[in-house]
Amino acid sequence: MPKPGLSGVLPVPYLSFGYLLHSSCKAFFPAWDGFGFFQPFGVFFFLGMILTPLDLPPPFASAETSRPDRCGTCSKCLVACPTVALTEPILMYARKCISYLTVELRVPIPHDFRDAISQHIFGCDICQDVCPWNRVSKTHTENQFAPIKEILNFSTNDWEELTEESFKIIFKDSPLTRPKFAWLTRNLKFISSYCKTKNKALDFSDSICNHT
């Protein structure tokens, strides 16, 4: 639990476990996909913060001035988005995003998104994968960000036979506790139904490892 700081102020540490408008943060440059990036690291990073009512000086000089457009004429993320969630620079229609549909949505996924979701079980990084700024990103060495070992060799059959008890053990303290077992199962059934309709091979073997 956070403890009172200066003059009784209660700072709160925060890292992607709730809803917060990150666009107001001036510590990074805005990217066209709605995310932000630090020039030395690309777009793959976690934005850790401390929420406080204290009036603190900006951590970077660029926060004092208007941040320049670092995307230029590049539109790779807009073109690559399969659900057309990115309609214009720095504007994402979140309810069309695959990450929203497979992680946050608490009702059945609309069938209109079957082709776009394809075999994404949990989340999506397509718009970040195609970003040229990731050419400067570096591979992390943080063990806590490593893929879950138990699922690295999961077959499609392993996913389909996953029980709630096994889910709680394997994915404890991982991002998959966010959609919970019920919604992960919904995603698996949704994709399985799509593949049968399209007569496509069902393959979950590499659908989630990059998102755990």
mmCIF file of all heavy atoms in Angstrom, residues 109-144:
data_model
loop_
_atom_site.group_PDB
_atom_site.id
_atom_site.type_symbol
_atom_site.label_atom_id
_atom_site.label_comp_id
_atom_site.label_asym_id
_atom_site.label_seq_id
_atom_site.Cartn_x
_atom_site.Cartn_y
_atom_site.Cartn_z
ATOM 1 N N ILE A 109 -17.568 -11.808 -28.918
ATOM 2 C CA ILE A 109 -16.895 -11.011 -29.941
ATOM 3 C C ILE A 109 -17.779 -10.961 -31.192
ATOM 4 O O ILE A 109 -18.240 -12.001 -31.670
ATOM 5 C CB ILE A 109 -15.533 -11.618 -30.306
ATOM 6 C CG1 ILE A 109 -14.623 -11.675 -29.076
ATOM 7 C CG2 ILE A 109 -14.861 -10.816 -31.418
ATOM 8 C CD1 ILE A 109 -13.324 -12.413 -29.294
ATOM 9 N N PRO A 110 -18.044 -9.775 -31.743
ATOM 10 C CA PRO A 110 -18.859 -9.674 -32.961
ATOM 11 C C PRO A 110 -18.256 -10.476 -34.110
ATOM 12 O O PRO A 110 -17.048 -10.452 -34.329
ATOM 13 C CB PRO A 110 -18.839 -8.165 -33.261
ATOM 14 C CG PRO A 110 -18.594 -7.517 -31.944
ATOM 15 C CD PRO A 110 -17.663 -8.447 -31.219
ATOM 16 N N HIS A 111 -19.077 -11.186 -34.840
ATOM 17 C CA HIS A 111 -18.592 -12.033 -35.935
ATOM 18 C C HIS A 111 -17.938 -11.229 -37.050
ATOM 19 O O HIS A 111 -17.164 -11.777 -37.840
ATOM 20 C CB HIS A 111 -19.749 -12.863 -36.495
ATOM 21 C CG HIS A 111 -20.103 -14.032 -35.632
ATOM 22 N ND1 HIS A 111 -20.910 -15.061 -36.042
ATOM 23 C CD2 HIS A 111 -19.743 -14.331 -34.356
ATOM 24 C CE1 HIS A 111 -21.038 -15.955 -35.078
ATOM 25 N NE2 HIS A 111 -20.352 -15.534 -34.042
ATOM 26 N N ASP A 112 -18.225 -9.939 -37.121
ATOM 27 C CA ASP A 112 -17.618 -9.096 -38.156
ATOM 28 C C ASP A 112 -16.094 -9.084 -38.060
ATOM 29 O O ASP A 112 -15.421 -8.756 -39.035
ATOM 30 C CB ASP A 112 -18.124 -7.651 -38.046
ATOM 31 C CG ASP A 112 -19.606 -7.532 -38.379
ATOM 32 O OD1 ASP A 112 -20.164 -8.512 -38.926
ATOM 33 O OD2 ASP A 112 -20.195 -6.473 -38.106
ATOM 34 N N PHE A 113 -15.558 -9.438 -36.888
ATOM 35 C CA PHE A 113 -14.115 -9.368 -36.686
ATOM 36 C C PHE A 113 -13.422 -10.713 -36.856
ATOM 37 O O PHE A 113 -12.231 -10.839 -36.581
ATOM 38 C CB PHE A 113 -13.810 -8.818 -35.281
ATOM 39 C CG PHE A 113 -14.200 -7.382 -35.089
ATOM 40 C CD1 PHE A 113 -15.295 -7.053 -34.303
ATOM 41 C CD2 PHE A 113 -13.486 -6.367 -35.698
ATOM 42 C CE1 PHE A 113 -15.661 -5.726 -34.120
ATOM 43 C CE2 PHE A 113 -13.845 -5.039 -35.522
ATOM 44 C CZ PHE A 113 -14.930 -4.714 -34.739
ATOM 45 N N ARG A 114 -14.138 -11.732 -37.316
ATOM 46 C CA ARG A 114 -13.543 -13.062 -37.407
ATOM 47 C C ARG A 114 -12.309 -13.098 -38.303
ATOM 48 O O ARG A 114 -11.278 -13.653 -37.938
ATOM 49 C CB ARG A 114 -14.582 -14.075 -37.901
ATOM 50 C CG ARG A 114 -15.599 -14.477 -36.847
ATOM 51 C CD ARG A 114 -16.542 -15.543 -37.350
ATOM 52 N NE ARG A 114 -17.278 -15.108 -38.527
ATOM 53 C CZ ARG A 114 -18.129 -15.863 -39.205
ATOM 54 N NH1 ARG A 114 -18.330 -17.122 -38.836
ATOM 55 N NH2 ARG A 114 -18.774 -15.390 -40.247
ATOM 56 N N ASP A 115 -12.420 -12.530 -39.491
ATOM 57 C CA ASP A 115 -11.279 -12.548 -40.417
ATOM 58 C C ASP A 115 -10.096 -11.764 -39.860
ATOM 59 O O ASP A 115 -8.943 -12.173 -39.999
ATOM 60 C CB ASP A 115 -11.686 -11.963 -41.774
ATOM 61 C CG ASP A 115 -12.596 -12.903 -42.556
ATOM 62 O OD1 ASP A 115 -12.527 -14.117 -42.312
ATOM 63 O OD2 ASP A 115 -13.363 -12.416 -43.393
ATOM 64 N N ALA A 116 -10.381 -10.625 -39.246
ATOM 65 C CA ALA A 116 -9.314 -9.757 -38.748
ATOM 66 C C ALA A 116 -8.593 -10.361 -37.549
ATOM 67 O O ALA A 116 -7.365 -10.308 -37.446
ATOM 68 C CB ALA A 116 -9.893 -8.391 -38.369
ATOM 69 N N ILE A 117 -9.343 -10.953 -36.638
ATOM 70 C CA ILE A 117 -8.730 -11.533 -35.449
ATOM 71 C C ILE A 117 -7.914 -12.769 -35.803
ATOM 72 O O ILE A 117 -6.891 -13.062 -35.186
ATOM 73 C CB ILE A 117 -9.808 -11.877 -34.396
ATOM 74 C CG1 ILE A 117 -10.345 -10.581 -33.785
ATOM 75 C CG2 ILE A 117 -9.243 -12.781 -33.301
ATOM 76 C CD1 ILE A 117 -11.437 -10.786 -32.757
ATOM 77 N N SER A 118 -8.361 -13.483 -36.828
ATOM 78 C CA SER A 118 -7.648 -14.674 -37.291
ATOM 79 C C SER A 118 -7.422 -15.618 -36.117
ATOM 80 O O SER A 118 -8.375 -16.133 -35.555
ATOM 81 C CB SER A 118 -6.330 -14.279 -37.954
ATOM 82 O OG SER A 118 -5.680 -15.397 -38.501
ATOM 83 N N GLN A 119 -6.141 -15.829 -35.708
ATOM 84 C CA GLN A 119 -5.882 -16.747 -34.613
ATOM 85 C C GLN A 119 -5.192 -16.049 -33.437
ATOM 86 O O GLN A 119 -4.382 -16.649 -32.722
ATOM 87 C CB GLN A 119 -5.058 -17.927 -35.117
ATOM 88 C CG GLN A 119 -5.787 -18.690 -36.221
ATOM 89 C CD GLN A 119 -5.276 -20.102 -36.424
ATOM 90 O OE1 GLN A 119 -4.867 -20.779 -35.496
ATOM 91 N NE2 GLN A 119 -5.317 -20.556 -37.663
ATOM 92 N N HIS A 120 -5.541 -14.793 -33.218
ATOM 93 C CA HIS A 120 -5.042 -14.075 -32.042
ATOM 94 C C HIS A 120 -5.851 -14.486 -30.808
ATOM 95 O O HIS A 120 -7.027 -14.160 -30.696
ATOM 96 C CB HIS A 120 -5.178 -12.563 -32.238
ATOM 97 C CG HIS A 120 -4.146 -11.979 -33.150
ATOM 98 N ND1 HIS A 120 -4.247 -12.063 -34.519
ATOM 99 C CD2 HIS A 120 -2.999 -11.304 -32.898
ATOM 100 C CE1 HIS A 120 -3.212 -11.466 -35.073
ATOM 101 N NE2 HIS A 120 -2.427 -10.995 -34.112
ATOM 102 N N ILE A 121 -5.220 -15.174 -29.883
ATOM 103 C CA ILE A 121 -5.905 -15.608 -28.669
ATOM 104 C C ILE A 121 -5.987 -14.485 -27.648
ATOM 105 O O ILE A 121 -6.998 -14.285 -26.981
ATOM 106 C CB ILE A 121 -5.178 -16.800 -28.022
ATOM 107 C CG1 ILE A 121 -5.157 -17.994 -28.963
ATOM 108 C CG2 ILE A 121 -5.857 -17.184 -26.706
ATOM 109 C CD1 ILE A 121 -4.357 -19.153 -28.418
ATOM 110 N N PHE A 122 -4.897 -13.740 -27.532
ATOM 111 C CA PHE A 122 -4.806 -12.737 -26.471
ATOM 112 C C PHE A 122 -3.947 -11.571 -26.939
ATOM 113 O O PHE A 122 -2.747 -11.693 -27.103
ATOM 114 C CB PHE A 122 -4.188 -13.368 -25.222
ATOM 115 C CG PHE A 122 -3.946 -12.410 -24.085
ATOM 116 C CD1 PHE A 122 -4.965 -12.072 -23.212
ATOM 117 C CD2 PHE A 122 -2.692 -11.852 -23.887
ATOM 118 C CE1 PHE A 122 -4.735 -11.198 -22.157
ATOM 119 C CE2 PHE A 122 -2.450 -10.979 -22.838
ATOM 120 C CZ PHE A 122 -3.478 -10.649 -21.970
ATOM 121 N N GLY A 123 -4.595 -10.443 -27.187
ATOM 122 C CA GLY A 123 -3.849 -9.240 -27.530
ATOM 123 C C GLY A 123 -3.341 -9.216 -28.961
ATOM 124 O O GLY A 123 -3.543 -10.152 -29.747
ATOM 125 N N CYS A 124 -2.653 -8.132 -29.292
ATOM 126 C CA CYS A 124 -2.126 -7.940 -30.645
ATOM 127 C C CYS A 124 -1.055 -6.854 -30.606
ATOM 128 O O CYS A 124 -1.210 -5.839 -29.930
ATOM 129 C CB CYS A 124 -3.256 -7.521 -31.579
ATOM 130 S SG CYS A 124 -2.715 -7.145 -33.267
ATOM 131 N N ASP A 125 0.030 -7.069 -31.324
ATOM 132 C CA ASP A 125 1.116 -6.082 -31.416
ATOM 133 C C ASP A 125 1.422 -5.709 -32.860
ATOM 134 O O ASP A 125 2.501 -5.194 -33.157
ATOM 135 C CB ASP A 125 2.392 -6.626 -30.766
ATOM 136 C CG ASP A 125 2.376 -6.522 -29.256
ATOM 137 O OD1 ASP A 125 1.642 -5.666 -28.734
ATOM 138 O OD2 ASP A 125 3.092 -7.299 -28.597
ATOM 139 N N ILE A 126 0.489 -5.961 -33.771
ATOM 140 C CA ILE A 126 0.767 -5.747 -35.186
ATOM 141 C C ILE A 126 1.230 -4.317 -35.472
ATOM 142 O O ILE A 126 2.221 -4.095 -36.172
ATOM 143 C CB ILE A 126 -0.471 -6.081 -36.051
ATOM 144 C CG1 ILE A 126 -0.732 -7.583 -36.029
ATOM 145 C CG2 ILE A 126 -0.277 -5.603 -37.490
ATOM 146 C CD1 ILE A 126 -1.997 -8.002 -36.757
ATOM 147 N N CYS A 127 0.512 -3.331 -34.918
ATOM 148 C CA CYS A 127 0.872 -1.942 -35.209
ATOM 149 C C CYS A 127 2.248 -1.585 -34.665
ATOM 150 O O CYS A 127 2.940 -0.719 -35.210
ATOM 151 C CB CYS A 127 -0.189 -0.981 -34.667
ATOM 152 S SG CYS A 127 -0.419 -1.039 -32.882
ATOM 153 N N GLN A 128 2.658 -2.256 -33.588
ATOM 154 C CA GLN A 128 3.983 -1.998 -33.037
ATOM 155 C C GLN A 128 5.052 -2.820 -33.759
ATOM 156 O O GLN A 128 6.180 -2.367 -33.934
ATOM 157 C CB GLN A 128 3.992 -2.313 -31.547
ATOM 158 C CG GLN A 128 3.036 -1.422 -30.755
ATOM 159 C CD GLN A 128 3.109 -1.673 -29.264
ATOM 160 O OE1 GLN A 128 4.060 -1.281 -28.625
ATOM 161 N NE2 GLN A 128 2.098 -2.346 -28.731
ATOM 162 N N ASP A 129 4.685 -4.027 -34.186
ATOM 163 C CA ASP A 129 5.636 -4.879 -34.909
ATOM 164 C C ASP A 129 6.141 -4.220 -36.190
ATOM 165 O O ASP A 129 7.299 -4.401 -36.581
ATOM 166 C CB ASP A 129 4.993 -6.221 -35.258
ATOM 167 C CG ASP A 129 4.796 -7.106 -34.033
ATOM 168 O OD1 ASP A 129 5.538 -6.925 -33.055
ATOM 169 O OD2 ASP A 129 3.892 -7.960 -34.061
ATOM 170 N N VAL A 130 5.264 -3.477 -36.872
ATOM 171 C CA VAL A 130 5.652 -2.895 -38.160
ATOM 172 C C VAL A 130 6.313 -1.523 -38.019
ATOM 173 O O VAL A 130 6.781 -0.966 -39.007
ATOM 174 C CB VAL A 130 4.424 -2.763 -39.100
ATOM 175 C CG1 VAL A 130 3.803 -4.123 -39.353
ATOM 176 C CG2 VAL A 130 3.393 -1.787 -38.526
ATOM 177 N N CYS A 131 6.369 -0.987 -36.812
ATOM 178 C CA CYS A 131 6.924 0.355 -36.600
ATOM 179 C C CYS A 131 8.429 0.376 -36.850
ATOM 180 O O CYS A 131 9.189 -0.352 -36.203
ATOM 181 C CB CYS A 131 6.635 0.833 -35.181
ATOM 182 S SG CYS A 131 7.296 2.477 -34.822
ATOM 183 N N PRO A 132 8.909 1.220 -37.783
ATOM 184 C CA PRO A 132 10.349 1.298 -38.085
ATOM 185 C C PRO A 132 11.192 1.717 -36.884
ATOM 186 O O PRO A 132 12.383 1.414 -36.832
ATOM 187 C CB PRO A 132 10.420 2.355 -39.190
ATOM 188 C CG PRO A 132 9.067 2.349 -39.814
ATOM 189 C CD PRO A 132 8.117 2.075 -38.693
ATOM 190 N N TRP A 133 10.580 2.399 -35.912
ATOM 191 C CA TRP A 133 11.348 2.831 -34.746
ATOM 192 C C TRP A 133 11.857 1.649 -33.926
ATOM 193 O O TRP A 133 12.792 1.795 -33.129
ATOM 194 C CB TRP A 133 10.509 3.748 -33.864
ATOM 195 C CG TRP A 133 10.487 5.171 -34.353
ATOM 196 C CD1 TRP A 133 9.454 5.812 -34.961
ATOM 197 C CD2 TRP A 133 11.561 6.119 -34.288
ATOM 198 N NE1 TRP A 133 9.812 7.106 -35.286
ATOM 199 C CE2 TRP A 133 11.090 7.319 -34.882
ATOM 200 C CE3 TRP A 133 12.857 6.081 -33.796
ATOM 201 C CZ2 TRP A 133 11.895 8.458 -34.993
ATOM 202 C CZ3 TRP A 133 13.663 7.205 -33.896
ATOM 203 C CH2 TRP A 133 13.179 8.376 -34.489
ATOM 204 N N ASN A 134 11.265 0.472 -34.130
ATOM 205 C CA ASN A 134 11.732 -0.685 -33.371
ATOM 206 C C ASN A 134 13.067 -1.218 -33.857
ATOM 207 O O ASN A 134 13.649 -2.113 -33.255
ATOM 208 C CB ASN A 134 10.680 -1.801 -33.407
ATOM 209 C CG ASN A 134 9.539 -1.512 -32.469
ATOM 210 O OD1 ASN A 134 9.726 -0.918 -31.419
ATOM 211 N ND2 ASN A 134 8.339 -1.900 -32.858
ATOM 212 N N ARG A 135 13.566 -0.651 -34.948
ATOM 213 C CA ARG A 135 14.898 -1.046 -35.396
ATOM 214 C C ARG A 135 15.963 -0.628 -34.391
ATOM 215 O O ARG A 135 17.069 -1.166 -34.376
ATOM 216 C CB ARG A 135 15.201 -0.414 -36.761
ATOM 217 C CG ARG A 135 14.367 -0.993 -37.905
ATOM 218 C CD ARG A 135 14.644 -0.312 -39.219
ATOM 219 N NE ARG A 135 14.271 1.099 -39.180
ATOM 220 C CZ ARG A 135 14.332 1.913 -40.232
ATOM 221 N NH1 ARG A 135 14.778 1.466 -41.391
ATOM 222 N NH2 ARG A 135 13.972 3.171 -40.125
ATOM 223 N N VAL A 136 15.620 0.354 -33.552
ATOM 224 C CA VAL A 136 16.593 0.808 -32.547
ATOM 225 C C VAL A 136 16.333 0.181 -31.182
ATOM 226 O O VAL A 136 17.049 0.443 -30.229
ATOM 227 C CB VAL A 136 16.571 2.349 -32.406
ATOM 228 C CG1 VAL A 136 16.896 3.020 -33.716
ATOM 229 C CG2 VAL A 136 15.211 2.832 -31.889
ATOM 230 N N SER A 137 15.267 -0.629 -31.083
ATOM 231 C CA SER A 137 14.948 -1.242 -29.795
ATOM 232 C C SER A 137 15.963 -2.327 -29.455
ATOM 233 O O SER A 137 16.604 -2.913 -30.323
ATOM 234 C CB SER A 137 13.539 -1.834 -29.826
ATOM 235 O OG SER A 137 13.455 -2.886 -30.763
ATOM 236 N N LYS A 138 16.093 -2.580 -28.161
ATOM 237 C CA LYS A 138 17.045 -3.573 -27.686
ATOM 238 C C LYS A 138 16.302 -4.707 -26.977
ATOM 239 O O LYS A 138 15.276 -4.491 -26.353
ATOM 240 C CB LYS A 138 18.045 -2.924 -26.725
ATOM 241 C CG LYS A 138 18.884 -1.817 -27.354
ATOM 242 C CD LYS A 138 19.831 -1.200 -26.325
ATOM 243 C CE LYS A 138 20.646 -0.078 -26.955
ATOM 244 N NZ LYS A 138 21.561 0.556 -25.966
ATOM 245 N N THR A 139 16.842 -5.913 -27.078
ATOM 246 C CA THR A 139 16.245 -7.060 -26.411
ATOM 247 C C THR A 139 16.409 -6.920 -24.900
ATOM 248 O O THR A 139 17.501 -6.603 -24.422
ATOM 249 C CB THR A 139 16.911 -8.364 -26.875
ATOM 250 O OG1 THR A 139 16.780 -8.481 -28.296
ATOM 251 C CG2 THR A 139 16.253 -9.565 -26.209
ATOM 252 N N HIS A 140 15.343 -7.117 -24.174
ATOM 253 C CA HIS A 140 15.412 -6.953 -22.728
ATOM 254 C C HIS A 140 16.094 -8.150 -22.067
ATOM 255 O O HIS A 140 16.239 -9.227 -22.660
ATOM 256 C CB HIS A 140 14.011 -6.770 -22.131
ATOM 257 C CG HIS A 140 13.182 -8.012 -22.154
ATOM 258 N ND1 HIS A 140 13.315 -9.010 -21.221
ATOM 259 C CD2 HIS A 140 12.205 -8.425 -22.997
ATOM 260 C CE1 HIS A 140 12.474 -9.983 -21.475
ATOM 261 N NE2 HIS A 140 11.779 -9.664 -22.544
ATOM 262 N N THR A 141 16.516 -7.959 -20.832
ATOM 263 C CA THR A 141 17.128 -9.039 -20.061
ATOM 264 C C THR A 141 16.378 -9.239 -18.744
ATOM 265 O O THR A 141 16.912 -9.820 -17.801
ATOM 266 C CB THR A 141 18.607 -8.715 -19.760
ATOM 267 O OG1 THR A 141 18.680 -7.446 -19.081
ATOM 268 C CG2 THR A 141 19.421 -8.652 -21.049
ATOM 269 N N GLU A 142 15.135 -8.748 -18.696
ATOM 270 C CA GLU A 142 14.329 -8.841 -17.485
ATOM 271 C C GLU A 142 13.596 -10.180 -17.437
ATOM 272 O O GLU A 142 12.755 -10.481 -18.281
ATOM 273 C CB GLU A 142 13.317 -7.695 -17.433
ATOM 274 C CG GLU A 142 12.357 -7.731 -16.269
ATOM 275 C CD GLU A 142 13.061 -7.832 -14.935
ATOM 276 O OE1 GLU A 142 13.830 -6.907 -14.598
ATOM 277 O OE2 GLU A 142 12.845 -8.853 -14.231
ATOM 278 N N ASN A 143 13.923 -10.995 -16.468
ATOM 279 C CA ASN A 143 13.328 -12.330 -16.357
ATOM 280 C C ASN A 143 11.814 -12.295 -16.217
ATOM 281 O O ASN A 143 11.112 -13.206 -16.663
ATOM 282 C CB ASN A 143 13.941 -13.082 -15.177
ATOM 283 C CG ASN A 143 15.389 -13.474 -15.420
ATOM 284 O OD1 ASN A 143 15.791 -13.649 -16.567
ATOM 285 N ND2 ASN A 143 16.168 -13.589 -14.356
ATOM 286 N N GLN A 144 11.292 -11.248 -15.576
ATOM 287 C CA GLN A 144 9.849 -11.175 -15.352
ATOM 288 C C GLN A 144 9.072 -10.968 -16.655
ATOM 289 O O GLN A 144 7.863 -11.166 -16.685
ATOM 290 C CB GLN A 144 9.531 -10.032 -14.387
ATOM 291 C CG GLN A 144 10.073 -10.247 -12.985
ATOM 292 C CD GLN A 144 9.651 -9.158 -12.019
ATOM 293 O OE1 GLN A 144 8.472 -9.030 -11.694
ATOM 294 N NE2 GLN A 144 10.606 -8.366 -11.577
#
